[in-house]
Short mmCIF file of all heavy atoms in Angstrom, two decimals:
data_model
loop_
_atom_site.label_atom_id
_atom_site.label_comp_id
_atom_site.label_asym_id
_atom_site.label_seq_id
_atom_site.Cartn_x
_atom_site.Cartn_y
_atom_site.Cartn_z
N LYS A 17 17.86 15.91 -4.17
CA LYS A 17 17.77 16.28 -5.66
C LYS A 17 16.26 16.20 -6.16
O LYS A 17 15.95 17.16 -6.83
CB LYS A 17 18.57 15.25 -6.52
CG LYS A 17 18.46 15.46 -7.96
CD LYS A 17 19.18 14.37 -8.83
CE LYS A 17 18.84 14.50 -10.29
NZ LYS A 17 19.37 13.30 -10.97
N VAL A 18 15.59 15.19 -5.78
CA VAL A 18 14.09 15.04 -6.24
C VAL A 18 13.10 15.40 -5.18
O VAL A 18 11.98 15.46 -5.53
CB VAL A 18 13.93 13.63 -6.75
CG1 VAL A 18 14.80 13.26 -7.94
CG2 VAL A 18 13.94 12.60 -5.68
N GLY A 19 13.51 15.72 -4.01
CA GLY A 19 12.60 16.00 -3.01
C GLY A 19 11.77 17.21 -3.01
O GLY A 19 10.84 17.45 -2.08
N PHE A 20 11.89 18.06 -4.00
CA PHE A 20 11.18 19.21 -4.19
C PHE A 20 10.43 19.22 -5.57
O PHE A 20 9.63 20.21 -5.80
CB PHE A 20 11.95 20.47 -3.95
CG PHE A 20 12.54 20.52 -2.62
CD1 PHE A 20 13.81 20.08 -2.45
CD2 PHE A 20 11.82 21.09 -1.51
CE1 PHE A 20 14.45 20.15 -1.10
CE2 PHE A 20 12.41 21.15 -0.27
CZ PHE A 20 13.68 20.68 -0.10
N SER A 21 10.60 18.21 -6.28
CA SER A 21 9.93 18.21 -7.59
C SER A 21 9.11 16.96 -7.92
O SER A 21 8.22 17.01 -8.74
CB SER A 21 11.02 18.34 -8.69
OG SER A 21 12.01 17.36 -8.62
N ALA A 22 9.40 15.87 -7.27
CA ALA A 22 8.70 14.61 -7.59
C ALA A 22 7.28 14.66 -6.89
O ALA A 22 7.16 15.40 -5.85
CB ALA A 22 9.54 13.44 -7.04
N ASP A 23 6.41 13.82 -7.26
CA ASP A 23 5.12 13.75 -6.73
C ASP A 23 5.07 12.83 -5.51
O ASP A 23 4.23 12.97 -4.57
CB ASP A 23 4.03 13.34 -7.77
CG ASP A 23 3.76 14.35 -8.89
OD1 ASP A 23 3.81 15.54 -8.56
OD2 ASP A 23 3.66 13.85 -10.01
N GLY A 24 5.95 11.97 -5.60
CA GLY A 24 6.17 11.00 -4.42
C GLY A 24 7.39 10.20 -4.59
O GLY A 24 7.94 10.01 -5.62
N ILE A 25 7.74 9.73 -3.50
CA ILE A 25 9.14 8.90 -3.38
C ILE A 25 8.69 7.56 -2.69
O ILE A 25 8.11 7.67 -1.50
CB ILE A 25 10.13 9.60 -2.60
CG1 ILE A 25 10.58 10.87 -3.43
CG2 ILE A 25 11.39 8.67 -2.36
CD1 ILE A 25 11.57 11.81 -2.75
N ILE A 26 9.08 6.54 -3.20
CA ILE A 26 9.06 5.25 -2.49
C ILE A 26 10.45 4.81 -2.11
O ILE A 26 11.21 4.68 -3.04
CB ILE A 26 8.33 4.10 -3.44
CG1 ILE A 26 6.86 4.64 -3.67
CG2 ILE A 26 8.28 2.83 -2.77
CD1 ILE A 26 6.21 3.82 -4.87
N LEU A 27 10.60 4.60 -0.87
CA LEU A 27 12.01 4.35 -0.45
C LEU A 27 12.09 3.06 0.45
O LEU A 27 11.38 2.93 1.43
CB LEU A 27 12.42 5.49 0.49
CG LEU A 27 13.83 5.38 1.25
CD1 LEU A 27 14.82 5.30 0.21
CD2 LEU A 27 13.98 6.58 2.18
N ASN A 28 12.94 2.19 -0.07
CA ASN A 28 13.36 1.04 0.75
C ASN A 28 14.79 1.32 1.12
O ASN A 28 15.71 1.15 0.35
CB ASN A 28 13.31 -0.30 -0.11
CG ASN A 28 13.58 -1.50 0.63
OD1 ASN A 28 14.33 -1.44 1.75
ND2 ASN A 28 13.20 -2.59 0.28
N ALA A 29 15.06 1.71 2.32
CA ALA A 29 16.34 2.10 2.86
C ALA A 29 17.09 0.97 3.35
O ALA A 29 18.21 1.19 3.81
CB ALA A 29 16.11 3.23 3.92
N GLY A 30 16.58 -0.20 3.34
CA GLY A 30 17.36 -1.34 3.81
C GLY A 30 17.65 -1.22 5.29
O GLY A 30 16.94 -0.73 5.97
N ALA A 31 18.88 -1.57 5.48
CA ALA A 31 19.40 -1.53 6.88
C ALA A 31 19.54 -0.11 7.37
O ALA A 31 19.53 0.23 8.56
CB ALA A 31 20.73 -2.26 7.01
N TYR A 32 19.73 0.78 6.43
CA TYR A 32 19.68 2.22 6.86
C TYR A 32 18.33 2.69 7.50
O TYR A 32 18.36 3.72 8.29
CB TYR A 32 19.98 3.10 5.60
CG TYR A 32 21.41 3.03 5.10
CD1 TYR A 32 21.47 2.77 3.82
CD2 TYR A 32 22.57 3.12 5.97
CE1 TYR A 32 22.85 2.73 3.18
CE2 TYR A 32 23.76 3.03 5.43
CZ TYR A 32 23.92 2.86 4.07
OH TYR A 32 25.21 2.76 3.57
N THR A 33 17.34 1.90 7.35
CA THR A 33 16.04 2.21 8.00
C THR A 33 16.26 2.39 9.52
O THR A 33 15.74 3.22 10.16
CB THR A 33 15.07 1.06 7.66
OG1 THR A 33 14.84 0.97 6.37
CG2 THR A 33 13.83 1.29 8.51
N HIS A 34 17.11 1.46 10.04
CA HIS A 34 17.41 1.39 11.50
C HIS A 34 18.54 2.25 12.04
O HIS A 34 18.68 2.31 13.22
CB HIS A 34 17.48 -0.11 11.87
CG HIS A 34 16.72 -1.03 11.12
ND1 HIS A 34 15.29 -1.04 11.26
CD2 HIS A 34 16.95 -1.82 10.02
CE1 HIS A 34 14.75 -1.91 10.38
NE2 HIS A 34 15.74 -2.42 9.65
N THR A 35 19.34 2.79 11.19
CA THR A 35 20.59 3.46 11.66
C THR A 35 20.83 4.78 11.09
O THR A 35 21.58 5.51 11.61
CB THR A 35 21.73 2.52 11.13
OG1 THR A 35 21.77 2.66 9.72
CG2 THR A 35 21.68 1.17 11.72
N SER A 36 20.12 5.26 10.01
CA SER A 36 20.48 6.50 9.42
C SER A 36 19.69 7.70 9.84
O SER A 36 18.54 7.99 9.40
CB SER A 36 20.37 6.31 7.83
OG SER A 36 20.83 7.49 7.33
N VAL A 37 20.38 8.56 10.64
CA VAL A 37 19.71 9.87 11.01
C VAL A 37 19.86 10.76 9.73
O VAL A 37 19.05 11.60 9.50
CB VAL A 37 20.54 10.43 12.22
CG1 VAL A 37 20.12 11.87 12.52
CG2 VAL A 37 20.35 9.55 13.49
N ALA A 38 20.94 10.60 8.98
CA ALA A 38 21.11 11.37 7.81
C ALA A 38 19.86 11.27 6.77
O ALA A 38 19.44 12.26 6.26
CB ALA A 38 22.37 11.10 7.16
N ILE A 39 19.49 10.06 6.55
CA ILE A 39 18.35 9.78 5.64
C ILE A 39 17.10 10.38 6.33
O ILE A 39 16.29 10.94 5.65
CB ILE A 39 18.21 8.31 5.27
CG1 ILE A 39 19.42 7.96 4.34
CG2 ILE A 39 16.84 8.04 4.51
CD1 ILE A 39 19.48 6.41 4.01
N ARG A 40 16.93 10.21 7.47
CA ARG A 40 15.81 10.75 8.20
C ARG A 40 15.71 12.25 8.15
O ARG A 40 14.70 12.91 7.96
CB ARG A 40 15.75 10.40 9.77
CG ARG A 40 14.74 10.88 10.56
CD ARG A 40 14.89 10.80 12.04
NE ARG A 40 13.96 11.54 12.77
CZ ARG A 40 12.90 10.93 13.47
NH1 ARG A 40 12.67 9.73 13.37
NH2 ARG A 40 12.03 11.79 14.00
N ASP A 41 16.88 12.87 8.33
CA ASP A 41 16.91 14.32 8.25
C ASP A 41 16.64 14.85 6.77
O ASP A 41 15.98 15.76 6.57
CB ASP A 41 18.36 14.89 8.62
CG ASP A 41 18.58 14.70 10.18
OD1 ASP A 41 17.59 14.44 10.89
OD2 ASP A 41 19.77 14.98 10.63
N ALA A 42 17.11 14.07 5.82
CA ALA A 42 16.85 14.45 4.40
C ALA A 42 15.39 14.33 4.08
O ALA A 42 14.81 15.21 3.40
CB ALA A 42 17.61 13.56 3.54
N ILE A 43 14.71 13.34 4.59
CA ILE A 43 13.21 13.13 4.40
C ILE A 43 12.56 14.32 5.05
O ILE A 43 11.61 14.88 4.49
CB ILE A 43 12.80 11.74 4.87
CG1 ILE A 43 13.38 10.60 4.02
CG2 ILE A 43 11.22 11.80 4.89
CD1 ILE A 43 13.14 9.28 4.66
N SER A 44 12.96 14.70 6.27
CA SER A 44 12.25 15.75 7.01
C SER A 44 12.47 17.11 6.26
O SER A 44 11.66 17.97 6.42
CB SER A 44 12.95 15.81 8.33
OG SER A 44 12.61 14.69 9.21
N ALA A 45 13.56 17.27 5.55
CA ALA A 45 13.87 18.57 4.89
C ALA A 45 13.23 18.70 3.57
O ALA A 45 13.27 19.89 3.03
CB ALA A 45 15.41 18.67 4.78
N ILE A 46 12.68 17.63 2.97
CA ILE A 46 12.05 17.82 1.64
C ILE A 46 10.56 17.92 1.81
O ILE A 46 9.92 17.67 2.79
CB ILE A 46 12.50 16.69 0.72
CG1 ILE A 46 11.96 15.33 1.32
CG2 ILE A 46 13.99 16.63 0.52
CD1 ILE A 46 12.25 14.16 0.41
N THR A 47 9.93 18.49 0.60
CA THR A 47 8.51 18.51 0.60
C THR A 47 7.72 17.37 -0.07
O THR A 47 6.50 17.26 0.24
CB THR A 47 8.14 19.92 -0.13
OG1 THR A 47 8.63 19.80 -1.53
CG2 THR A 47 8.60 21.04 0.60
N THR A 48 8.37 16.59 -0.85
CA THR A 48 7.82 15.39 -1.44
C THR A 48 7.45 14.37 -0.44
O THR A 48 8.37 13.98 0.32
CB THR A 48 8.74 14.84 -2.56
OG1 THR A 48 9.02 15.84 -3.59
CG2 THR A 48 8.12 13.68 -3.25
#
């Protein structure tokens, strides 16, 4: 939602840091 309009994103993904391919893919797909 915000990955093409925000100036920056600060993300604490908690335990998803170590397990989430979906969050990794979402970060890879956005320009922010």
Side-chain angles (χ1 to χ4, degrees):
K17 175 184 169 189
V18 301
F20 297 95
S21 59
D23 293 323
I25 296 171
I26 298 168
L27 175 64
N28 183 338
Y32 290 129
T33 298
H34 321 289
T35 62
S36 182
V37 174
I39 292 174
R40 178 192 171 103
D41 288 349
I43 294 168
S44 294
I46 62 177
T47 57
T48 298

